């Protein structure tokens, strides 16, 4: 086969088939339909299989991207899945929710000249294929005899659980909600990440031997210290997320109709308030909704509000579109669906209708000034530019603070912002207790949390002495066993 | 041992105290051991249900059970009144949640429970008694036939002031009348704890404000997760915003903005009314009786347990 060059590969990036904006804005069906086989084969051809690939380093969990794409081109789809599964057990999820443009695709060599290879879409295609075919890597592992307790069943906890199970440990994951999945379930809406995909990935973890215990509020039902001292866990991982939504402290925040994006999304997604009254959880029905913030959570809140029947949905963000932290595709979809964006706009006050309900907002225009500590231009108010507009619901999506429960109930060391203090290896101040994800770093992405979960698993293995055993086997990877020794089990996926 | 696996939230006992008020004893050995006065749980009675917070009315580590006292007024609680029978299971039960009440070294304490606050006041009164305090219990009911747990309270209180709206038992009046009598008779009263509808807690806090008697209240706002994640339960305490689920539910009654709390409790009044309507229609029940007037008129008291 002739060596591919930038001139010989398909020039245009294969578009993602999507439901039309008008139609999808009425329903919770997934927006992006996923590549067809032909789409995937064509897009895979666009990878130059660089000998010195930058994309692997751009991936927080270092998936061997050129190798899995190469396997797609030779129609070895199972091999493509195995390649991804070596470092990422949840490709169907990551392919959908990773901000690829700032990770693997952001450093893609093809992207220097053309649009980068659609790595995320290919990953999703492989992940979906694996779920449809019932593939799952269930390696034969020698039981290590160690018991691991994991606090929180979100992406950090799931990733850590997967790695520790593959290292032969007996893993129990605790979740406070009535079903596992954490932010993937309560936060990310179905039109972006359908629940059956999450359930199938959780089912895969169960097949690895991971146990999920829901309705368990660690800290209050039993403490972190009790997990080690009384419940017999040899090591514990804390991945409880950031939680605790921030407010701005402007007048009118306690009016009815003002809520956090977390509340809106949890009611709608996990508690299925969108199917009220079939489900009992009520949801405030906003006709004119204003969402403050422009991250991924804000995009979700905006698009959920639209689907719940709002006539007008506004996005209020104090910086410009270029600084929006949202994933490019989400921002694009939100614009397509008719969300009204107010860039360079800062809320001053939420207005009262006289009966304790929201009637509107007063805002001020901003302009960009000198770069601030985050490196982004600092927004500054434009004097005399105040204006008002009507709204009956205001949603805060401006980030979260640390959840206080673990800190309240344990002697574990916290930093001054209330997040858990860890070493470089994600070890906390308590022996045998590790932590990762938002509860350590503050709000970040799903894949970063997964990366932290895996990093903590590496440290846990080292702490428990499992690492040496596996590295003697002469494999580069720290845990799991070489692919050629995998004992695959066919699964029926949901 | 694998904690949690045994917990299937089986209802092991039930007692009905009136047409609307009933008690459930649920098996959950770990929670019975971990629970402290002032904490609450979140319950889902079935998979399509909503998560409702309920303050723990009792917990017995030896028996491995926790006790909830529920007033059936809204859709979910009325449904529970029908479906939660001995031998059945709750779909979800999580807790104990919230910061336990601080049982200080006060020498003389008044424990005021009104409406749904009567039952959750019991573990606090007991804890004060065990801590060596002189405990004055003040509990209120509408009428003598609705009185429950009188013996339980008598066993942990040095004095019990029972109030009924119609005067059919104890003194005639509401719990704030009881508190007023208590305040007159006891110049050395060091602390007041009040649990009940927001209007009642507000009245209690006002009654003690002039004398600067420490008054703790247990707030009961709307919440979803109960773990600090949704922020639905935020309350104004002094000049700060607190989340009842992880910063409370106990706060200094002199600092709580009760008007704000009451306004926020009405958030879903419309949807709840509609759900109730559909529920009664689907049950082919005769038109539901108007929600019973409670000790103090507060139509939203039931909304979020007590």
């Amino acid at each position: 086969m002739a060596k591919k060059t930038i001139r010989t590969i398909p020039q245009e990036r294969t578009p993602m088939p999507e439901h039309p904006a008008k139609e999808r804005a009425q329903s919770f069906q997934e927006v992006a339909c996923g590549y067809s086989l032909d789409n995937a084969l064509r897009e895979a051809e666009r990878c130059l299989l660089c000998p010195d690939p930058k994309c692997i380093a751009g991936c927080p969990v270092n998936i061997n991207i050129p190798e899995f794409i190469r396997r797609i081109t030779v129609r070895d789809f199972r091999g493509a899945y195995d390649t991804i599964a070596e470092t990422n057990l949840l490709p169907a999820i990551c392919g959908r929710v990773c901000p690829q443009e700032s990770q693997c695709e952001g450093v893609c060599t093809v992207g220097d000249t053309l649009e980068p290879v659609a790595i995320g879409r290919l990953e999703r295609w492989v992940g979906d294929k694996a779920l449809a075919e019932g593939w799952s890597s269930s390696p034969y592992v020698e039981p290590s005899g160690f018991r691991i307790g994991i606090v929180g069943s979100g992406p950090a906890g799931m990733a850590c659980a997967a790695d520790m199970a593959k290292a032969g440990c007996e893993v129990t994951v605790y979740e406070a909600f009535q079903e596992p999945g954490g932010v993937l379930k309560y936060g990310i809406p179905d039109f972006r990440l359908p629940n059956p995909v999450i359930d199938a990935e959780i089912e895969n973890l169960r097949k690895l031997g991971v146990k999920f215990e829901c309705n368990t509020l660690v800290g209050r039902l039993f403490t972190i210290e009790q997990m080690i001292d009384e419940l017999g866990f040899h090591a514990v991982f804390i991945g409880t997320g950031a939680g605790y939504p921030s407010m701005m402290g402007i007048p009118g925040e306690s009016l009815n109709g003002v809520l956090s994006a977390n509340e809106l999304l949890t009611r709608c997604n996990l508690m299925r308030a969108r199917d009220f009254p079939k489900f009992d959880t009520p949801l405030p029905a906003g006709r004119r909704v204003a969402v403050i913030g422009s991250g991924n959570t804000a995009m979700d809140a905006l698009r959920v509000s639209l689907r719940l029947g709002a006539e007008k949905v506004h996005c209020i963000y104090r910086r410009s579109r270029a600084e929006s932290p949202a994933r490019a595709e989400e921002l694009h979809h939100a614009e397509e669906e008719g969300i009204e964006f107010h860039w360079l706009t800062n809320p001053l006050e939420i207005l009262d209708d006289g009966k304790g309900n929201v009637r509107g907002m007063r805002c001020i225009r901003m302009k960009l000034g000198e770069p601030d500590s985050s490196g982004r231009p600092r927004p500054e108010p434009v004097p005399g530019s105040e204006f008002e507009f009507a709204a009956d619901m205001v949603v805060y999506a401006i980030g979260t603070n640390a959840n206080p429960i673990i800190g309240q109930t344990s002697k574990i060391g916290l930093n001054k912002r209330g997040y858990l203090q860890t070493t470089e290896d994600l070890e906390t101040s308590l022996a045998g207790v590790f932590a990762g994800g938002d509860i350590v770093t503050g709000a970040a992405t799903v894949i970063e949390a997964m990366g932290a979960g895996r990093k903590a698993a590496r440290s846990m293995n080292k702490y428990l002495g499992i690492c040496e055993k596996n590295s003697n086997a002469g494999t580069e990877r720290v845990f799991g066993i070489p692919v050629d020794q995998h004992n695959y089990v066919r699964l029926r996926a949901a | 041992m694998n904690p949690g696996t045994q917990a299937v939230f089986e209802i092991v006992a039930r007692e009905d105290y009136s047409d609307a008020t009933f008690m459930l004893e649920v098996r959950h050995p770990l929670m019975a051991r971990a629970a402290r006065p002032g904490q609450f749980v979140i319950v889902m009675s079935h998979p399509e249900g909503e998560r409702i917070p309920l303050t723990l009315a009792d917990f017995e580590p030896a028996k491995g059970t926790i006790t909830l006292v529920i007033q059936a007024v809204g859709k979910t609680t009325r449904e529970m009144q029908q479906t939660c029978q001995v031998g059945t299971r709750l779909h979800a039960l999580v807790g104990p949640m919230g910061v336990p009440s601080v049982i200080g070294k006060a020498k003389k304490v008044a424990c005021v429970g009104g409406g749904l606050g009567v039952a959750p006041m019991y573990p606090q009164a007991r804890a004060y008694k065990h801590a060596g305090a002189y405990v004055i219990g003040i509990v209120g009911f509408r009428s003598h036939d609705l009185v429950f747990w009188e013996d339980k309270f008598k066993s942990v209180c040095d004095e019990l002031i029972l109030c009924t709206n119609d005067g059919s038992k104890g003194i005639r009046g509401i719990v704030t009348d009881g508190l007023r009598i208590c305040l007159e008779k006891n110049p050395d009263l060091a602390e007041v704890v009040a649990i009940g509808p927001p209007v009642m807690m507000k009245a209690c806090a006002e009654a003690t404000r002039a004398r600067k008697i420490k008054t703790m209240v247990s707030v009961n706002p709307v919440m979803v997760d109960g773990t600090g994640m949704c922020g639905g339960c935020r309350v104004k305490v002094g000049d700060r915003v607190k989340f009842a689920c992880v910063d409370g539910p106990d706060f200094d009654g002199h600092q709580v903005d009760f008007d704000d709390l009451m306004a926020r409790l009405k958030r879903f009044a419309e949807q709840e009314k509609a759900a109730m309507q559909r529920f009664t229609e689907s049950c082919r029940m005769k038109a539901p009786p108007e929600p019973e007037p409670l000790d103090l008129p507060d139509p939203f008291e039931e909304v979020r347990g007590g």
Side-chain angles (χ1 to χ4, degrees):
Chain A
M1 191 175 76
K3 193 179 175 312
K4 288 195 272 189
T5 70
I6 198 83
R7 293 224 180 99
T8 63
I9 61 171
Q11 301 290 292
E12 300 285 325
R13 182 173 156 115
T14 315
M16 175 63 109
E18 287 170 0
H19 291 289
K22 267 218 177 107
E23 179 189 305
R24 72 185 189 231
Q26 315 287 323
S27 86
F28 281 85
Q29 66 172 329
E30 196 174 11
V31 168
C33 310
Y35 274 171
S36 65
L37 173 63
D38 287 345
N39 289 154
L41 289 171
R42 177 184 182 275
E43 187 60 25
E45 283 304 329
R46 297 185 69 234
C47 178
L48 295 174
L49 307 173
C50 313
D52 178 23
K54 290 183 249 169
C55 49
I56 299 179
C59 171
V61 295
N62 305 122
I63 294 174
N64 189 343
I65 293 164
E67 176 60 15
F68 100 74
I69 295 182
R70 186 189 67 79
R71 289 187 185 240
I72 296 177
T73 61
V74 299
R75 292 177 175 254
D76 173 13
F77 306 133
R78 178 67 211 239
Y81 171 70
D82 290 338
T83 305
I84 298 175
E86 277 173 34
T87 61
N88 181 4
L89 244 92
L90 310 160
I93 294 175
C94 293
R96 285 174 167 85
V97 302
C98 273
Q100 289 94 2
E101 66 275 7
S102 53
Q103 297 174 347
C104 52
E105 294 177 18
V107 291
C108 172
T109 310
V110 174
D112 295 343
T113 321
L114 307 167
E115 282 278 294
V117 178
I119 300 168
R121 293 168 180 180
L122 289 172
E123 181 188 23
R124 171 187 159 169
W125 182 79
V126 173
D128 286 353
K129 178 99 183 148
L131 291 180
E133 298 283 338
W135 295 334
S136 166
S137 62
S138 184
Y140 173 78
V141 280
E142 210 178 310
S144 70
F146 290 113
R147 299 187 60 224
I148 308 297
I150 292 184
V151 188
S153 67
M158 281 167 81
C160 187
D163 280 351
M164 294 316 290
K166 285 204 266 177
C169 299
E170 192 188 322
V171 181
T172 307
V173 181
Y174 294 104
E175 165 62 43
F177 268 127
Q178 68 272 16
E179 46 186 284
V183 71
L184 305 173
K185 268 275 172 63
Y186 74 73
I188 302 177
D190 272 53
F191 55 80
R192 201 144 81 76
L193 178 61
N195 275 348
V197 173
I198 308 162
D199 290 335
E201 300 277 29
I202 287 169
E203 200 47 43
N204 281 343
L205 290 180
R206 286 209 172 98
K207 302 273 166 159
L208 280 174
V210 176
K211 267 183 275 182
F212 287 88
E213 297 273 350
C214 296
N215 296 301
T216 308
L217 181 60
V218 177
R220 292 289 173 199
L221 189 61
F222 45 80
T223 63
I224 299 291
E225 282 89 340
Q226 281 177 311
M227 288 178 77
I228 300 272
D229 298 340
E230 294 173 28
L231 302 182
F233 289 112
H234 299 98
V236 168
F237 173 74
I238 306 171
T240 50
Y244 213 96
S246 308
M247 306 298 278
M248 293 179 76
I250 59 174
E253 281 179 357
S254 62
L255 293 172
N256 285 332
V258 181
L259 71 169
S260 74
N262 274 359
E263 181 175 356
L264 173 74
L265 295 171
T266 306
R267 283 178 183 273
C268 177
N269 300 334
L270 179 78
M271 302 308 296
R272 302 277 302 273
R274 61 174 192 261
D275 297 324
F276 183 86
K278 193 170 165 257
F279 285 70
D280 291 340
T281 302
L283 191 66
R287 286 176 56 233
R288 291 165 172 270
V289 182
V291 176
I292 306 171
S294 178
N296 286 318
T297 308
M299 293 306 127
D300 290 344
L302 288 160
R303 298 170 67 201
V304 158
S305 299
L306 194 69
R307 284 160 174 76
L308 290 171
E311 290 159 14
K312 199 109 194 146
V313 185
H314 304 273
C315 175
I316 313 289
Y317 185 53
R318 63 196 181 114
R319 301 176 193 263
S320 75
R321 190 184 192 283
E323 287 85 33
S324 165
R327 196 170 170 258
E329 188 175 278
E330 308 313 326
L331 193 51
H332 170 69
H333 282 156
E335 284 170 337
E336 268 185 0
E337 289 168 14
I339 305 292
E340 206 165 295
F341 285 88
H342 303 264
W343 306 113
L344 291 166
T345 304
N346 207 26
L348 294 174
E349 184 185 357
I350 303 166
L351 306 167
D352 188 345
D353 71 348
K355 293 182 215 144
N357 305 310
V358 174
R359 80 167 160 84
M361 279 183 88
R362 197 159 63 82
C363 297
I364 189 164
R365 300 281 183 213
M366 310 291 279
K367 62 173 195 286
L368 294 179
E370 294 300 305
D372 62 12
S373 57
S374 73
R376 299 179 294 182
R378 182 192 302 277
E380 293 160 2
V382 178
S385 67
E386 290 92 344
F387 69 101
E388 286 183 8
F389 68 93
D392 54 9
M393 187 162 142
V394 175
V395 182
Y396 275 73
I398 54 169
T400 53
N401 295 313
N403 188 301
I405 295 176
I406 297 293
Q408 284 170 345
T409 56
S410 157
K411 291 198 168 67
I412 203 163
L414 306 178
N415 69 19
K416 55 180 185 291
R417 289 164 60 225
Y419 293 98
L420 299 187
Q421 186 89 51
T422 65
T423 63
E424 186 66 13
D425 293 330
L426 299 181
E427 230 180 317
T428 68
S429 62
L430 300 177
V433 179
F434 300 79
D438 286 7
I439 192 61
V440 173
T441 56
T445 61
V446 167
I447 189 68
E448 282 169 291
M450 286 186 178
R454 304 200 73 226
K455 189 173 171 191
R458 267 196 297 280
S459 303
M460 252 183 199
N461 274 290
K462 209 158 120 192
Y463 169 79
L464 297 170
I466 304 174
C467 166
E468 289 78 6
K469 209 161 65 185
N470 277 350
S471 56
N472 290 346
T475 159
E476 286 266 304
R477 274 169 299 125
V478 184
F479 12 78
I481 55 169
V483 175
D484 54 14
Q485 292 168 28
H486 278 198
N487 169 22
Y488 292 110
V489 182
R490 273 189 71 85
L491 298 173
R492 286 233 15 96
Chain B
M1 179 179 107
N2 207 340
T5 38
Q6 299 94 342
V8 292
F9 322 130
E10 187 194 357
I11 296 168
V12 294
R14 166 171 171 154
E15 201 176 325
D16 285 58
Y17 298 135
S18 73
D19 296 354
T21 310
F22 59 104
M23 179 279 286
L24 298 179
E25 224 174 271
V26 188
R27 189 182 309 285
H28 196 318
L30 267 179
M31 200 189 293
R33 199 182 71 166
R36 297 288 177 270
Q39 290 189 297
F40 64 97
V41 296
I42 283 187
V43 172
M44 265 178 98
S45 55
H46 58 88
E48 291 81 37
E50 59 178 330
R51 295 168 64 91
I52 57 163
L54 296 165
T55 309
L56 282 165
D58 204 357
F59 34 89
E60 295 178 62
K63 268 170 87 180
T65 60
I66 57 132
T67 304
L68 305 170
V69 174
I70 300 163
Q71 201 154 25
V73 194
K75 192 251 175 183
T76 296
T77 45
R78 270 184 194 256
E79 198 175 49
M80 285 177 75
Q81 190 185 26
Q82 293 182 2
T83 60
C84 292
Q85 303 296 340
V86 173
T88 64
R89 293 165 178 186
L90 297 170
H91 176 63
L93 171 65
V94 57
M97 295 172 144
V99 181
S101 304
V102 179
I103 306 297
K105 294 206 172 73
K107 289 222 166 61
K108 202 177 233 185
V109 181
C111 292
V112 190
L116 262 188
V118 172
M121 183 48 83
Y122 170 73
Q124 302 228 34
R126 179 175 59 189
Y128 273 108
K129 184 70 193 165
H130 287 171
Y134 184 88
V135 180
I136 305 169
I138 305 171
V139 291
F141 301 90
R142 250 185 319 126
S143 167
H144 70 99
D145 51 340
L146 301 175
V147 173
F148 64 89
W149 284 17
E150 190 182 352
D151 290 345
K152 274 185 105 163
F153 273 97
K154 275 189 174 155
S155 70
V156 296
C157 294
D158 297 280
E159 275 177 54
L160 182 64
I161 304 175
L162 213 143
C163 317
T164 49
N165 296 25
D166 60 1
S168 54
K169 189 158 194 184
I171 65 162
R172 185 193 182 94
I174 54 178
V175 285
T176 34
D177 298 321
L179 178 61
R180 215 159 289 131
I181 294 170
C182 168
L183 285 167
E184 279 161 22
K185 273 176 39 188
N186 297 282
D188 57 339
L189 191 70
E191 198 172 325
V192 172
V193 185
I195 310 181
V199 265
M200 176 218 117
M201 295 192 288
K202 182 182 180 184
C204 290
E206 289 314 315
T208 59
R209 194 186 293 274
R211 274 170 56 182
K212 292 187 180 151
I213 298 172
K214 181 182 172 195
T215 303
M216 295 303 287
V217 299
S218 173
V219 300
N220 53 352
V222 175
M223 54 176 79
V224 183
D225 60 302
T227 63
M229 194 204 76
C230 81
C233 65
R234 58 191 191 273
V235 282
K236 270 196 210 156
V237 181
D239 53 359
R240 303 190 59 185
V241 172
K242 299 275 189 182
F243 288 4
C245 64
V246 290
D247 301 320
D250 287 3
F251 293 109
D252 177 353
H254 296 149
Q255 300 273 317
V256 172
D257 184 337
F258 286 101
D259 297 333
D260 183 69
L261 178 68
M262 285 184 264
R264 289 185 54 75
L265 276 172
K266 294 178 192 170
R267 286 172 68 195
F268 299 108
E270 221 171 277
Q271 285 99 330
E272 271 155 6
K273 210 171 141 194
M276 189 65 210
Q277 186 70 30
R278 266 186 302 269
F279 175 66
T280 46
E281 277 163 13
S282 70
C283 289
R284 295 171 202 279
M285 283 164 56
K286 55 182 187 295
E290 281 299 300
E292 301 168 35
L294 302 166
D295 299 26
L296 288 157
D298 178 9
F300 303 98
E301 180 206 25
E302 66 79 21
V303 172
R304 295 302 138 188

